[in-house]
Amino acid sequence: MSTTTTEALSATTLLRFATAGSVDDGKSTLVGRLLHDSKSVLADQLEAVERASASRGQEAPDLALLTDGLRAEREQGITIDVAYRYFATPRRRFILADTPGHVQYTRNMVTGASTAELTVILVDARNGVVEQTRRHAAIAALLRVPHVVLAVNKMDLVAYEERAFAAIAEEFTAYATELGVPEVTAIPISALAGDNVVEPSANMDWYGGPTVLEHLETVPVSHDLTHCHARLPVQYVIRPQTAEHPDYRGYAGQIAAGTFRVGEPVTILPSGRTTKISGIDLLGEPVDVAWTTQSVTILLEDDVDVSRGDLIVPTKDAPATTQDVEATVCHVADAPLTVGHRVLLKHGTRTVKAIVKDIPSRLTLADLSLHPHPGQLVANDIGRVKIRTAEPLPVDSYADSRRTGSFILIDPADGTTLTAGMVGESFAAPEPVKDAADDDGWDF
Amino acid sequence: MTTVAESATGGEGTDSPYALSHLDALESEAVHIFREVAGEFENPVILFSGGKDSIVMLHLALKAFAPSAVPFSLLHVDTGHNFPEVLDYRDRVVAAHGLRLHVASVQDYIDRGVLRERPDGTRNPLQTLPLTEKIQSERFDAVFGGGRRDEEKARAKERVFSLRDEFSQWDPRRQRPELWNLYNGRHAPGEHVRVFPLSNWTELDVWQYIAREDIELPQIYFAHEREVFARGGMWLTAGEWGGPKDGESVEKRLVRYRTVGDMSCTGAVDSEATTLDAVIAEIAASRLTERGASRADDKLSEAAMEDRKREGYF
């Protein structure tokens, strides 16, 4: 192999995506086929699955054993938690957050979707858009996953009929658009038979779009950053204090959004001091410009007080700081979140004390109705919260920046991650608020 | 801004000019993880075996804090059955970068009668006690490991920040969800966090990165003639550690190692790959995972890795 090939391999881009689907819609089969057909399941792994299946008395190899890695999962035949899987084609590398469909689905899907740039939502062609499908679409919209793929599976069981697919695609796209999902790509597939997963289907001549893999390979992975608010949470101050670098003082961090360039006037938050960028080191190499998600070290003209937890932003585009954060949250811990709860809030690289002032509403994902003042949020609940922080925070709206608009709440007593938070309005479209009186979803 | 956008536009036209290559994205993420640990923990340590994953970890740490020194010490769990080339490499690296090296020695534990040699001769499971006692005695609160989720199905479930109790145990049911890039390193006194900066890397990524960054490796990663014998479907290096036994015969073969661990359980593979490019080509074409091809300890049972991890193994 020549060096050229090595370079070509390493020049591919990375796509993080998540799958969502309920128990019997064929998610494992789809994941299995993507892994298998991209040569990511190797001979010894298949052998291990065959051996384990045979020892359980199963006739055919159970491909779920490929993905269910834990003893308890194999014993019970269930998927406990998000697993991350890796595969590659010559065009792109993929990180798949494989989220279980039926146990504790909301927090797992939120976890998987938080880093995903694309979500594949599976539906069974025979059942069409069901409550679970709407739930998945709503989470994708809440988490602002840029691309949504609707995979209408089991087309072989509806005679590969275009009408069946078109009706589902139309209903789903209308619903997703209402939620503010920017882009939906609907693909008719049969994961079992292999139609339109990796290979185009001979059974559906009427479909002219890409296969699932083709779409994954070509969907754009980054937005145009020129219009993003630039943000750098300071992680660590690099100060060698050596003979070679006596005065070097660099502010290290991963650019959360936008671009920074040398010479640009910047403001340090929350102090509000201003200075200019005198240099940018990209892992040891000086550069003129750097952008998200590069890990960089920024050097400043003036010797201002900057430490871990601060946010460096362009002076012309600084967010306001606030001690009152309103957000949509997903509660991920088993113990409930209640009004008056004292917590820690981690935003970027800053962790501050905070108190839950109010829980104005809880969302029912199935119909997007709101329950006013639920009093608490339990595991997997999504709701609105008002939080007072002990120190001012420079938060963005999650709609503007997934990184500087997100936070987690932590239990100060034992360190448990309690809640995933997204600052600002939850959906792009106005929320249909249902009258509390005819709300029958009150369940505690 | 427009200058960059215009000058960098081109290619397929589907990706933004600001899209990072997959290696750049993985590198940036790993550096972010190293810096988070440096910012949030008192006393972190990097597990360093002299194997390719720990070598890549150290390389990333050097870049993350340049031009400063790496603010972590190294910890090697010495099984007593290490490859001499790897120990030599370890010592050279430590000296070159002025690092501090801690060694937890399995042989010491055996000599003191605390651990007993296993009948099958493998010392891999014996590493857990010296490792966990060292973590406790040195009060390490963050321990970097080179584990990758693609290695093994139990590892696919592991978090980047993985909380361990005072016995270093991993409980897969009690893991913290990891949201966005907001890692939660909170832990009680006596607990620590295992941190895996290479979680999202595959074996091929590691090799491509080694090639791109021109990182030196111990020579046993490249094809060389070696005296080996067959055991359990693998080529093991003959030596004082306990092989060959009766009925096993030594032969000279052209081999290389895909992983580097204890000599008693790390197998060599037949190979003619003497350069990085040849190694990458070989791995890209291989139908076996690296652990399937070269680790005996993973074959002990269906859940061998999970069981060892629960006990505190890395």
Side-chain angles (χ1 to χ4, degrees), chain A residues 68-321:
Chain A
D68 290 345
L70 302 172
R71 200 180 269 281
E73 292 177 322
R74 289 191 297 273
E75 280 163 7
Q76 299 170 44
I78 55 155
T79 311
I80 288 176
D81 211 336
V82 183
Y84 294 87
R85 325 231 160 256
Y86 304 84
F87 66 99
T89 68
R91 300 170 84 169
R92 193 169 264 182
R93 285 263 293 102
F94 301 97
I95 299 178
L96 160 59
D98 185 12
T99 62
H102 57 321
V103 199
Q104 298 157 346
Y105 40 76
T106 307
R107 65 177 165 199
N108 285 320
M109 195 183 156
V110 166
T111 301
S114 73
T115 51
E117 291 180 271
L118 180 146
T119 296
V120 180
I121 296 175
L122 270 128
V123 300
D124 185 324
R126 295 168 302 175
N127 306 330
V129 174
V130 294
E131 183 181 324
Q132 187 80 326
T133 316
R134 284 193 287 271
R135 197 190 307 274
H136 292 149
I139 297 173
L142 265 178
L143 271 288
R144 312 245 171 202
V145 179
H147 308 279
V148 170
V149 173
L150 173 75
V152 180
N153 192 22
K154 308 197 184 180
M155 286 299 293
D156 51 320
L157 301 182
V158 294
Y160 296 108
E161 273 196 21
E162 180 174 12
R163 266 183 311 160
F165 167 74
I168 296 167
E170 195 177 326
E171 185 183 351
F172 181 86
T173 306
Y175 183 74
T177 308
E178 198 186 317
L179 291 170
V181 171
E183 185 200 285
V184 175
T185 304
I187 306 176
I189 67 167
S190 167
L192 194 68
D195 295 287
N196 288 337
V197 178
V198 174
E199 299 296 331
S201 171
N203 298 311
M204 291 178 276
D205 294 340
W206 46 265
Y207 174 73
T211 65
V212 174
L213 188 66
E214 243 179 276
H215 183 65
L216 292 172
E217 283 181 315
T218 52
V219 71
V221 287
S222 297
H223 303 289
D224 177 10
L225 301 176
T226 47
H227 302 298
C228 288
H229 311 286
R231 303 286 185 255
L232 180 83
V234 175
Q235 282 189 287
Y236 192 77
V237 182
I238 293 177
R239 242 157 43 96
Q241 294 179 291
T242 54
E244 204 185 333
H245 302 281
D247 302 317
Y248 188 100
R249 194 179 168 87
Y251 305 101
Q254 186 175 28
I255 298 176
T259 59
F260 285 96
R261 56 179 60 242
V262 175
E264 192 172 7
V266 289
T267 298
I268 315 303
L269 294 173
S271 75
R273 281 173 228 272
T274 57
T275 177
K276 271 186 182 176
I277 296 177
S278 61
I280 302 175
D281 282 352
L282 180 61
L283 304 182
E285 297 293 323
V287 292
D288 292 331
V289 58
W291 56 86
T292 177
T293 53
Q294 292 180 329
S295 278
V296 296
T297 305
I298 282 193
L299 304 156
L300 300 176
E301 269 185 15
D302 306 297
D303 214 358
V304 291
D305 177 13
V306 184
S307 58
R308 175 174 169 83
D310 288 344
L311 188 70
I312 299 178
V313 299
T315 302
K316 60 175 167 52
D317 180 25
T321 60

Side-chain angles (χ1 to χ4, degrees), chain B residues 102-123:
Chain B
H102 303 268
V103 178
S105 160
V106 173
Q107 190 64 51
D108 275 0
Y109 278 71
I110 293 172
D111 293 346
R112 284 192 281 128
V114 181
L115 286 176
R116 223 182 316 164
E117 201 86 72
R118 293 161 51 98
D120 62 7
T122 175
R123 285 188 169 182

Side-chain angles (χ1 to χ4, degrees), chain A residues 39 44 71 73 86 93 293, chain B residues 28 157 200 205 284 289 307:
Chain A
K39 207 203 82 141
D44 54 318
R71 200 180 269 281
E73 292 177 322
Y86 304 84
R93 285 263 293 102
T293 53
Chain B
S28 179
K157 300 269 172 177
N200 287 326
D205 297 329
T289 64
D307 293 346

